[in-house]
Amino acid sequence: MIKKTTAIAAMMLLAMGAKAQNPFVQTWCTSDPAPMVHNGTMYVYTGHDEDGADFFWMQEWRVYSTQDMVNWQDHGSPLALESFSWADDRAWASQTIERDGKFYWYICAHSKLSGGMAIGVAVADSPTGPFKDALGKPLFENGSWDHIDPTVMIDDDGQAWLMWGNPQVYYLKLNRDMISYEGELGKLPMTEEAFGGPMMKEREKGKKYKDSYVEGPWLTKRNGTYQLLYAAGGVPEHISYSTAPSPLGPWKYAGEIMPLCDTNSFTNHCGVADYKGHSYFFYHTGKLPQGGGFGRSVAVEEFKYNADGSFPTIMPTDAGVKPVAVFNPYRKVEAETMAFSKGVKTEQNDEVGVYVSDIHNGDYIKLQNVAFANKYPRTFTARVASGLRGGQIEIHLDSIGGRCLGTLNVPGTGGWEKWQTITVDLDYSTITDIDAPTRTISGLNLPATADVYLVFKGRKGPKLFNFDWWEMRGLEQMNMPLFQTKYTADPSPLVVGDT
């Protein structure tokens, strides 16, 4: 039965990878996506559901980034419960924002000081960390379990607002330093007009309501109107929103955004962001092969606002979004950058940072919309480590069984973190002519863009190797011109034996 279940899960993932973008992280279960755009890069901060969990036993937060919306780099976990001396459990939803060159990551966690949930804040000089507790204590706690899922926004006038809560929406006016606040804790009126229905404990028996706020608020502003998105309706949750002329209201229920759908998750949590002229809606599902309500996975959809700035209905898809840029392979690429994967995990250490692990025979990494342009990939280099037997990395185009450009043999390196850098020549037999002065290559028989699959092969069963980074080099990068120390002309080749 175990073998049959594993085989079915593998087939599901293969089918998903052939055409899917969602969920866009497959190496770990991730939840509660919080997007942030900075310096031309889209970052998404997530929670991390433990594999096989039977509750929201969450220990850390993770970061992913992209510049094309399809190939995502895993930056690992720069923040965990251990980052906060006062926290001991439940690393739930969070959001990060930049101000004055620093990045503030607002989190919630169980506090061993008060015995309830608390709001904390970490700070860093980079969007990927390292982050540290900005205060050494919670930003806010009072022993209540209501204090979960913070959202933060800096208004046009510079005022920063922090909101959170289940089943009540709380708010604070943050000071310019982003780690202290002005005034007292505020509460939004949880009325039927504001959220489609009052809190459950205040509902009239037998009366039917449009909706109700539950948790996971996301505060944003568009065309002068404030929008508060949130998980709604109870269990299972859908996504709804309300609008207001001010963060303090009066709030007015505006309707559903993502109705109840077959997401295989009884919770949902959203965030929205504009990037490179497109609008994106992030949410989570339970659609990984072994996922579910406690094993969630982040996903994204592109959408267009209605003419009046309101949200359209957004439905979850497996296809996800289209690329907004091409991917350049002629550079050092972190192996944990991928559009889709099967079987692999990621780990991190102080020496190399994040790397791909748990590689077995038949696993793969897919890169989408890779641009070969007018170059031909001449070599493939990878940094790898293997405790024992090694394996192979096959470079295929457009599918795991597509045209193979070459195979890199990975030896046993003497340890799972004893790294070696290995290069293999790729097949360039289709080239018919190379014009040295212009570096123009004819007869490439290679598409301008293609999906690239790095397919891992080796003995069946055991772990094969770890994978840190890879790089392609074009033919013209390798040996054109052949000699760089002197000007040379009029070549006259002569073969003698093997020379």
Side-chain angles (χ1 to χ4, degrees), residues 155-447:
D155 210 344
D156 300 333
D157 62 1
Q159 177 61 59
W161 294 88
L162 187 66
M163 291 187 176
W164 70 83
N166 172 351
Q168 168 73 54
V169 180
Y170 298 90
Y171 66 86
L172 288 175
K173 292 180 69 175
L174 294 174
N175 293 323
R176 180 82 191 192
D177 64 9
M178 301 297 285
I179 60 173
S180 63
Y181 55 89
E182 171 191 339
E184 299 296 322
L185 179 70
K187 297 181 181 181
L188 294 185
M190 308 302 292
T191 64
E192 181 176 357
E193 181 180 11
F195 297 103
M199 290 189 289
M200 292 296 179
K201 65 181 182 180
E202 297 176 1
R203 293 194 164 204
E204 296 180 22
K205 188 175 180 179
K207 182 177 179 179
K208 187 175 182 180
Y209 296 92
K210 291 181 182 179
D211 213 334
S212 64
Y213 169 92
V214 177
E215 59 188 355
W218 181 272
L219 180 62
T220 186
K221 185 179 183 181
R222 189 169 186 86
N223 298 332
T225 298
Y226 296 84
Q227 299 171 325
L228 189 65
L229 289 65
Y230 46 88
V235 178
E237 296 173 343
H238 56 270
I239 300 294
S240 296
Y241 77 116
S242 301
T243 61
S246 158
L248 302 184
W251 288 93
K252 184 177 181 181
Y253 178 71
E256 295 183 358
I257 299 176
M258 180 171 279
L260 282 179
C261 308
D262 182 19
T263 62
N264 200 35
S265 172
F266 56 84
T267 65
N268 206 340
H269 188 109
C270 72
V272 295
D274 290 344
Y275 182 61
K276 294 187 176 181
H278 302 258
S279 297
Y280 295 100
F281 180 88
F282 293 83
Y283 61 105
H284 66 226
T285 72
K287 285 192 173 182
L288 288 179
Q290 309 217 5
F294 302 121
R296 297 160 296 177
S297 42
V298 292
V300 61
E301 308 293 344
E302 185 178 351
F303 72 98
K304 290 185 178 180
Y305 287 94
N306 296 323
D308 62 357
S310 61
F311 281 91
T313 298
I314 302 172
M315 302 298 289
T317 70
D318 293 334
V321 303
K322 295 180 179 179
V324 295
V326 295
F327 187 86
N328 175 21
Y330 301 109
R331 59 189 171 97
K332 180 180 175 181
V333 178
E334 296 296 332
E336 63 274 11
T337 303
M338 56 192 79
F340 212 87
S341 66
K342 180 253 176 180
V344 301
K345 291 286 191 181
T346 59
E347 297 181 37
Q348 64 191 98
N349 62 31
D350 291 339
E351 179 188 355
V352 300
V354 182
Y355 59 91
V356 175
S357 64
D358 209 37
I359 295 172
H360 292 77
N361 178 62
D363 293 346
Y364 69 83
I365 290 172
K366 171 187 174 183
L367 287 304
Q368 190 173 337
N369 204 37
V370 176
F372 293 109
N374 196 37
K375 296 180 180 179
Y376 196 91
R378 173 65 176 83
T379 63
F380 179 86
T381 300
R383 192 173 190 225
V384 290
S386 178
L388 293 172
R389 58 197 55 82
Q392 297 86 40
I393 303 176
E394 296 179 353
I395 303 98
H396 291 267
L397 299 184
D398 291 328
S399 71
I400 59 174
R403 175 182 170 186
C404 185
L405 296 182
T407 300
L408 183 141
N409 290 311
V410 178
T413 64
W416 294 109
E417 294 187 6
K418 287 191 175 181
W419 300 93
Q420 288 186 15
T421 301
I422 303 171
T423 298
V424 64
D425 289 339
L426 300 180
D427 175 22
Y428 60 105
S429 59
T430 58
I431 294 176
T432 59
D433 184 56
I434 302 172
D435 185 89
T438 63
R439 299 190 176 186
T440 299
I441 305 173
S442 303
L444 284 178
N445 191 26
L446 194 68

Side-chain angles (χ1 to χ4, degrees), residues 60-136:
E60 64 185 19
W61 298 269
R62 302 185 67 85
V63 185
Y64 299 85
S65 72
T66 183
Q67 293 184 341
D68 58 22
M69 290 304 298
V70 292
N71 297 294
W72 292 86
Q73 181 179 348
D74 183 348
H75 296 281
S77 172
L79 196 67
L81 288 173
E82 289 75 15
S83 305
F84 303 93
S85 61
W86 51 267
D88 61 5
D89 195 8
R90 308 190 187 202
W92 288 358
S94 66
Q95 187 181 345
T96 301
I97 197 168
E98 183 271 337
R99 182 163 214 172
D100 298 332
K102 291 190 177 294
F103 299 85
Y104 298 90
W105 196 339
Y106 297 89
I107 62 95
C108 64
H110 183 262
S111 171
K112 56 189 177 185
L113 303 179
S114 67
M117 293 297 289
I119 304 299
V121 57
V123 64
D125 295 323
S126 160
T128 57
F131 283 85
K132 65 178 182 179
D133 187 353
L135 295 171

